[in-house]
C-alpha cells in the first residue's frame, strides 16, 4: 500500500465515526506530517449548528495537540462528487501546510482530484511574522 493509499484509507475509516445526525453527510480527513505521521478527524455536528466542527478541524487539532506544526499531504473523504474543504478549513490547512501541501479530495471509492493550497485558497491571508 502506498503512502497515499494509507492516507486515503485512514480518512475513509475515520469518516465512519463521524457524528452527523442532522446532515447525514459524513466526512473524514487524514493529514500526513513531513515525517509520515498520520492524524485523522471526522465531522462532529451539534444541535446548535454553528458549533459543529469539520473533519479537517478535528484532524488539525489532533496534529497540533501531538506537538506537530506541519502538514505535508491531506485527504478529505466524503460521499460526494467533489468534497472540497470549506473556506474555514482551507484557511486552517494553509496555516500549517508546507510549501508543497497537496490536498486530495476523495469519494468512497478513491481520490477524485488533487489541489495545491494556491488552487484552494489563492491570495490567502497570512501574517508574515507568524510565530510557531
Ligand atoms: Zn470545514
Amino acid at each position: 500500500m502506498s503512502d497515499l493509499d494509507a492516507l486515503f484509507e485512514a480518512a475513509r475509516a475515520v469518516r465512519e465515526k463521524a457524528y452527523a445526525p442532522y446532515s447525514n453527510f459524513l466526512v473524514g480527513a487524514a493529514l500526513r506530517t513531513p515525517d509520515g505521521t498520520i492524524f485523522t478527524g471526522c465531522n462532529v455536528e451539534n444541535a446548535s449548528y454553528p458549533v459543529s466542527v469539520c473533519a479537517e478541524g478535528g484532524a488539525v487539532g489532533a496534529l497540533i495537540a501531538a506537538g506537530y506544526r506541519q502538514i505535508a499531504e491531506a485527504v478529505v473523504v466524503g460521499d460526494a462528487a467533489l468534497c472540497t474543504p470549506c473556506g474555514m478549513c482551507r484557511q486552517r490547512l494553509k496555516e500549517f501546510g508546507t510549501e508543497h501541501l497537496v490536498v486530495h479530495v476523495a469519494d468512497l471509492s478513491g481520490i477524485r482530484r488533487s489541489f495545491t493550497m494556491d488552487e484552494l485558497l489563492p491570495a490567502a491571508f497570512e501574517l508574515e511574522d507568524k510565530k510557531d
Side-chain angles (χ1 to χ4, degrees):
M1 181 181 290
S2 74
D3 287 351
L4 183 53
D5 287 342
L7 202 60
F8 168 73
E9 288 303 329
R12 187 164 69 173
V14 75
R15 177 187 167 275
E16 297 299 321
K17 296 177 179 166
Y19 176 76
Y22 306 105
S23 71
N24 289 314
F25 189 74
L26 284 63
V27 181
L31 311 175
R32 184 176 57 74
T33 65
D35 75 1
T37 306
I38 292 175
F39 293 93
T40 60
C42 57
N43 55 328
V44 181
E45 293 182 347
N46 192 284
S48 177
Y49 294 173
V51 178
S52 301
V53 178
C54 293
E56 300 92 321
V60 168
L63 180 143
I64 295 300
Y68 288 88
R69 293 289 184 269
Q70 289 193 307
I71 303 164
E73 193 169 28
V75 173
V76 181
V77 177
D79 191 9
L82 205 58
C83 184
T84 54
C86 76
M88 282 184 17
C89 287
R90 293 175 193 210
Q91 187 71 36
R92 284 189 177 103
L93 294 170
K94 175 68 180 175
E95 181 78 14
F96 301 106
T98 64
E99 185 180 349
H100 304 292
L101 169 62
V102 175
V103 179
H104 307 281
V105 176
D107 62 17
L108 303 186
S109 59
I111 290 167
R112 292 291 160 234
R113 281 189 63 183
S114 301
F115 299 90
T116 65
M117 274 316 303
D118 282 344
E119 290 172 323
L120 286 178
L121 194 64
F125 174 76
E126 278 190 291
L127 294 177
E128 285 192 25
D129 296 329
K130 185 168 69 177
K131 295 178 172 55
D132 56 10

